[in-house]
Amino acid sequence: MSQVMSRETLSRRDMLWAAGAITVGAAFGQPSSAVAAEPAAVNAEPASWVDPAMPEVRHRMIEANGIRLHIAEQGEGPLVILCHGFPECWYSWRHQLGALAKAGYHAVAPDLRGYGRSDRPEEVEKYTILHDIGDVVGLLDALGARQAVIAGHDIGAAIAWQAALLRPDRFSAVIAMSPPFRPRGFGDSAVPPTTLMPRNENAVFYQLFLQTPEAEAGLGRDLRRTFRSQLYLLSGDKPASAAGGFAAGMVPRKGNALADPPSLPLWITEADIDVYVEAYARSGFHGPLAWWRNVDRGWELMAAFNGAKVTVPALYLVGDRDFVAAAFREDIAKQAAFVPKLRPPVVLRDCGHWTQQERAGEVRAAMIDFLRSL
């Protein structure tokens, strides 16, 4: 795998710069007219509905783990839960929902807590990895399912890995995209993860930056620019020459504006951007960023499970130009020791971070092949 990933990839410096580029967005500048999230009204959402743009997908509000989750679903049969990443929503699985349904599965893509139409608790401490795992377990209960296969991308992959680790009785297999399995969810170091992240008077590591009020203000300042920029900058379509001068995931405290590409990659459209803009105009970034604000707390909560193994069958997919592939290369190499039923990894050529969107056909084919083999 390492040989495959070493060809035609960005450097580690370039990939980690791309991660930091999500949040640059002049976030340390003066605030301007951001699109503010409206407070969630009690029972404001209808119980179920159909979007005319995707009439084959059903939408419902589900009570799970003490909150209301919005789900998009399609198909009948064995249940497959699809957990999105940051900063996305259920829509990142739009290409897989129909394919899974056609293959005979009940595909369900929730908005995670804090995202889109799902409930948005105000307290930051209610966004730990255990809360998210509790939500997907509660979703199974609400759907009347004894078991499901859980799939995830980005932070959704971290949730999927740990859900399969903690509840193999409920999650019979796991499909993860981008982040590999990491002990305790965030790494097996002897100290809290954030203490190992670099910072100085001029710059901070991007995960530290994502914990700040400045990140929340910067990302929300111009939603269309935010999503057009990051979907391009973290994709496999970005040329290496666009790397810029950021070092190893460091975000300058006086950030530059997000680069708004003149055109979008072929796999994303302005109509797709509209969906993300609408979702974050509704939710804001408080809930999504709360995940990063709980990195150390999540690591502490998972202490009892350090060294435990994922015992269910697992499939791992990653783009060879994904910055995560560079940042966590060592974890990718050793994850099989913690996941004994891991299938051969699927490495997608010239694919960046947005795995299931950039390589929709290859991803859905790999998922269905894996599901049928169980």
Side-chain angles (χ1 to χ4, degrees):
M1 175 175 174
S2 61
Q3 293 177 345
V4 174
M5 293 178 61
S6 66
R7 295 194 296 266
E8 301 176 5
T9 64
L10 299 179
S11 68
R12 178 182 176 88
R13 175 189 176 95
D14 291 344
M15 290 183 183
L16 288 175
W17 164 82
I22 294 180
T23 59
V24 173
F28 288 98
Q30 294 298 317
S32 59
S33 55
V35 181
E38 294 293 332
V42 177
N43 297 326
E45 300 291 351
S48 62
W49 68 95
V50 173
D51 183 347
M54 296 181 68
E56 68 281 5
V57 177
R58 307 183 301 275
H59 295 264
R60 283 197 281 164
M61 299 300 296
I62 298 287
E63 297 281 348
N65 194 28
I67 66 171
R68 284 161 55 87
L69 294 176
H70 162 232
I71 66 169
E73 60 184 334
Q74 190 171 349
E76 303 292 339
L79 182 60
V80 181
I81 301 293
L82 306 167
C83 298
H84 64 79
F86 170 87
E88 299 173 272
C89 63
W90 73 270
Y91 189 71
S92 69
W93 296 103
R94 61 194 177 280
H95 302 298
Q96 286 73 42
L97 285 166
L100 290 169
K102 186 176 180 180
Y105 298 94
H106 180 194
V108 174
D111 282 338
L112 300 178
R113 62 167 56 210
Y115 289 80
R117 295 176 180 268
S118 291
D119 279 356
R120 304 183 290 278
E122 184 63 27
E123 302 91 335
V124 171
E125 60 270 21
K126 290 188 176 180
Y127 290 90
T128 71
I129 191 168
L130 290 182
H131 284 89
D132 283 305
I133 294 171
D135 291 347
V136 290
V137 171
L139 181 56
L140 263 64
D141 293 339
L143 294 173
R146 185 179 65 86
Q147 283 191 325
V149 173
I150 186 167
H153 167 254
D154 189 72
I155 67 168
I159 294 165
W161 280 125
Q162 302 302 319
L165 175 78
L166 300 184
R167 295 302 305 268
D169 59 319
R170 305 303 302 272
F171 301 104
S172 58
V174 57
I175 303 170
M177 301 176 197
S178 192
F181 176 80
R182 304 184 74 204
R184 297 181 68 167
F186 304 95
D188 57 358
S189 64
V191 295
T194 61
T195 64
L196 302 177
M197 297 176 186
R199 74 203 84 184
N200 56 52
E201 63 181 16
N202 297 316
V204 296
F205 191 62
Y206 79 96
Q207 291 191 16
L208 294 174
F209 180 76
L210 288 172
Q211 300 176 19
T212 67
E214 290 83 2
E216 189 169 338
L219 287 167
R221 182 166 292 118
D222 184 338
L223 292 176
R224 179 163 292 276
R225 186 181 183 89
T226 291
F227 285 102
R228 290 183 95 255
S229 176
Q230 68 180 334
L231 288 169
Y232 169 71
L233 288 174
L234 296 185
S235 76
D237 296 86
K238 182 181 75 67
S241 60
F246 297 100
M250 301 296 284
V251 178
R253 295 186 185 275
K254 294 182 179 180
N256 298 320
L258 284 164
D260 196 2
S263 62
L264 293 170
L266 294 177
W267 52 269
I268 192 82
T269 68
E270 293 292 350
D272 297 328
I273 299 293
D274 289 341
V275 177
Y276 287 117
V277 169
E278 189 279 333
Y280 282 79
R282 175 185 297 271
S283 70
F285 279 91
H286 175 75
L289 288 173
W291 166 273
W292 305 103
R293 293 164 178 162
N294 276 290
V295 166
D296 284 349
R297 186 161 183 257
W299 175 83
E300 292 171 359
L301 292 171
M302 295 295 292
F305 307 100
N306 193 33
K309 295 183 178 181
V310 176
T311 59
V312 300
L315 176 66
Y316 175 65
L317 303 93
V318 66
D320 66 356
R321 299 188 68 182
D322 187 348
F323 77 93
V324 172
F328 301 111
R329 188 180 302 276
E330 292 182 3
D331 295 282
I332 292 174
K334 66 184 182 182
Q335 68 177 339
F338 296 99
V339 190
K341 294 183 181 179
L342 180 66
R343 305 292 170 87
V346 176
V347 182
L348 303 167
R349 283 191 171 277
D350 299 320
C351 179
H353 182 60
W354 314 108
T355 321
Q356 74 272 31
Q357 298 183 79
E358 292 186 55
R359 294 292 183 271
E362 294 170 74
V363 167
R364 62 189 175 223
M367 293 179 71
I368 291 169
D369 285 347
F370 173 71
L371 290 167
R372 287 176 171 166
S373 74
L374 297 175

